[in-house]
Coordinates of all heavy atoms in Angstrom, one line a residue:
G437 N 90.2 250.9 30.5 CA 90.9 249.8 29.7 C 92.3 250.3 29.2 O 93.2 249.6 29.2
Q438 N 92.3 251.5 28.7 CA 93.5 252.0 28.1 C 94.6 252.3 29.2 O 95.8 252.1 29.0 CB 93.2 253.3 27.4 CG 92.5 253.1 26.1 CD 92.1 254.5 25.4 OE1 92.7 255.5 25.6 NE2 91.0 254.4 24.7
V439 N 94.2 252.7 30.4 CA 95.1 252.8 31.5 C 95.7 251.5 31.9 O 97.0 251.4 32.0 CB 94.4 253.5 32.7 CG1 95.2 253.3 34.0 CG2 94.0 254.9 32.5
V440 N 94.9 250.5 32.0 CA 95.4 249.1 32.3 C 96.4 248.6 31.2 O 97.5 248.1 31.5 CB 94.3 248.1 32.6 CG1 94.8 246.7 32.8 CG2 93.5 248.5 33.8
A441 N 95.9 248.7 30.0 CA 96.7 248.3 28.8 C 98.1 249.0 28.8 O 99.1 248.5 28.5 CB 95.9 248.5 27.5
S442 N 98.0 250.3 29.0 CA 99.3 251.1 28.9 C 100.3 250.6 29.9 O 101.5 250.6 29.6 CB 98.9 252.6 29.1 OG 98.6 252.9 30.4
V443 N 99.8 250.3 31.1 CA 100.9 249.8 32.1 C 101.5 248.5 31.7 O 102.6 248.2 31.8 CB 100.0 249.6 33.4 CG1 100.9 248.8 34.4 CG2 99.7 251.0 34.0
G444 N 100.6 247.5 31.2 CA 101.1 246.3 30.7 C 102.1 246.5 29.6 O 103.2 245.8 29.5
I445 N 101.8 247.3 28.6 CA 102.7 247.6 27.5 C 104.0 248.2 28.0 O 105.1 247.9 27.5 CB 102.1 248.5 26.5 CG1 100.9 247.9 25.8 CG2 103.1 249.0 25.4 CD1 100.0 248.8 25.0
A446 N 104.0 249.1 29.0 CA 105.2 249.7 29.5 C 106.0 248.8 30.2 O 107.3 248.8 30.1 CB 104.7 250.9 30.5
V447 N 105.4 247.8 31.0 CA 106.2 246.8 31.6 C 107.0 245.9 30.6 O 108.2 245.6 30.8 CB 105.3 245.9 32.5 CG1 106.1 244.7 33.1 CG2 104.8 246.8 33.7
L448 N 106.3 245.5 29.6 CA 107.0 244.8 28.5 C 108.1 245.6 27.9 O 109.2 245.0 27.6 CB 106.0 244.3 27.4 CG 105.0 243.3 27.9 CD1 104.0 243.0 26.7 CD2 105.6 242.0 28.3
A449 N 107.9 246.8 27.7 CA 108.9 247.7 27.1 C 110.2 247.8 28.0 O 111.3 247.8 27.5 CB 108.4 249.1 26.7
V450 N 109.9 248.0 29.3 CA 111.0 248.1 30.2 C 111.8 246.8 30.3 O 113.1 246.8 30.1 CB 110.5 248.4 31.6 CG1 111.6 248.2 32.7 CG2 109.9 249.8 31.7
L451 N 111.2 245.7 30.3 CA 111.9 244.4 30.4 C 112.7 244.2 29.0 O 113.8 243.8 29.1 CB 110.9 243.3 30.6 CG 111.4 241.9 30.6 CD1 112.4 241.7 31.8 CD2 110.3 240.8 30.8
G452 N 112.0 244.4 27.9 CA 112.7 244.2 26.6 C 113.8 245.2 26.4 O 114.9 244.9 25.9
G453 N 113.6 246.5 26.8 CA 114.6 247.5 26.7 C 115.9 247.2 27.5 O 117.0 247.4 27.0
L454 N 115.7 246.7 28.7 CA 116.9 246.5 29.5 C 117.7 245.3 29.0 O 118.9 245.3 28.9 CB 116.5 246.1 31.0 CG 115.9 247.3 31.8 CD1 115.4 246.8 33.2 CD2 117.0 248.3 32.1
I455 N 117.0 244.3 28.4 CA 117.7 243.2 27.8 C 118.5 243.6 26.6 O 119.6 243.3 26.4 CB 116.7 242.0 27.4 CG1 116.1 241.4 28.7 CG2 117.4 241.0 26.6 CD1 115.0 240.4 28.4
V456 N 117.8 244.5 25.8 CA 118.5 245.0 24.5 C 119.6 245.9 24.9 O 120.8 245.8 24.3 CB 117.5 245.8 23.7 CG1 118.2 246.6 22.6 CG2 116.5 244.9 23.1
S457 N 119.5 246.7 26.0 CA 120.5 247.6 26.5 C 121.8 246.8 26.8 O 122.9 247.2 26.6 CB 120.0 248.4 27.6 OG 121.1 249.3 28.1
V458 N 121.6 245.7 27.6 CA 122.7 244.9 28.0 C 123.3 244.1 26.9 O 124.5 244.1 26.6 CB 122.3 243.9 29.2 CG1 123.4 243.0 29.5 CG2 121.9 244.8 30.4
R459 N 122.5 243.5 26.1 CA 123.0 242.6 25.0 C 123.6 243.4 23.8 O 124.7 242.9 23.3 CB 121.9 241.7 24.4 CG 121.3 240.8 25.5 CD 122.4 239.8 26.0 NE 121.7 238.7 26.8 CZ 122.5 237.8 27.5 NH1 123.8 237.8 27.3 NH2 121.9 236.9 28.2
A460 N 123.0 244.6 23.5 CA 123.6 245.3 22.4 C 124.4 246.5 22.8 O 124.9 247.2 21.9 CB 122.3 245.8 21.5
D461 N 124.6 246.7 24.1 CA 125.4 247.8 24.6 C 125.0 249.2 24.0 O 125.7 249.9 23.5 CB 126.9 247.5 24.2 CG 127.8 248.5 25.0 OD1 127.4 249.0 26.0 OD2 129.0 248.7 24.6
V462 N 123.7 249.4 24.2 CA 123.2 250.7 23.8 C 122.6 251.4 25.0 O 122.3 250.7 26.1 CB 122.0 250.6 22.7 CG1 122.5 250.0 21.5 CG2 120.9 249.7 23.3
P463 N 122.4 252.7 25.0 CA 121.9 253.4 26.2 C 120.5 252.9 26.6 O 119.7 252.5 25.7 CB 121.8 254.9 25.8 CG 122.8 255.0 24.7 CD 122.8 253.7 24.0
T464 N 120.2 252.9 27.9 CA 119.0 252.3 28.4 C 117.7 253.1 27.8 O 116.8 252.5 27.4 CB 118.9 252.4 30.0 OG1 120.2 252.0 30.4 CG2 117.8 251.6 30.5
G465 N 117.7 254.4 27.9 CA 116.6 255.1 27.4 C 116.2 254.8 26.0 O 115.0 254.4 25.8
P466 N 117.1 255.0 25.0 CA 116.7 254.6 23.7 C 116.2 253.1 23.5 O 115.3 252.9 22.7 CB 117.9 254.9 22.9 CG 118.6 255.9 23.7 CD 118.4 255.6 25.1
A467 N 116.8 252.3 24.3 CA 116.5 250.8 24.1 C 115.0 250.6 24.5 O 114.3 249.9 23.9 CB 117.4 250.0 24.9

Side-chain angles (χ1 to χ4, degrees):
Q438 290 174 25
V439 167
V440 174
S442 69
V443 170
I445 294 168
V447 170
L448 290 177
V450 168
L451 180 59
L454 287 174
I455 294 173
V456 171
S457 177
V458 172
R459 296 299 187 186
D461 193 23
V462 297
T464 315

